[in-house]
Amino acid sequence: EKVTLLVLSNFKTTENQAHSTLVETLYRYRSDLEIIFNAIDTDHSGLISVEEFRAMWKLFSSHYNVHIDDSQVNKLANIMDLNKDGSIDFNEFLKAFYVVHRYEDLMKPDVTNLG
């Protein structure tokens, strides 16, 4: 039982450290993400409309020569629009980067158990 508690305690500490690192990373890049958000928000409403989001993806796909279907763009915008009001606010935009960062961390191979 003590071993289980120790393992759970270590896991919780590691989880808290990972969360702290993630928050620090997002905070560090917040100004960059804000610049990107404002560049996408062409009408300066403080919200990214589906049309603005689609225009950004068209620019991205032409620059990087990657085809992205409008239905895929709409689906992504809908996923990012957490409160389902038809637009993406800055907090929703930040949360999307948080989710991507968490997913990338989960996909990293565990190099501690090589042996």
Side-chain angles (χ1 to χ4, degrees), residues 25-42 44 46-48 88-95 97:
T25 301
L26 280 177
Y27 184 77
R28 189 176 323 128
Y29 294 109
R30 181 185 173 97
S31 62
D32 293 341
L33 292 172
E34 196 167 4
I35 290 167
I36 293 166
F37 180 89
N38 289 331
I40 299 168
D41 177 23
T42 56
H44 309 292
L47 301 169
I48 297 174
I88 300 165
D89 65 30
F90 186 62
N91 286 328
E92 291 169 327
F93 190 74
L94 282 179
K95 285 179 184 171
F97 282 91

Side-chain angles (χ1 to χ4, degrees), residues 2 14 41 99:
K2 287 182 182 180
T14 303
D41 177 23
V99 169

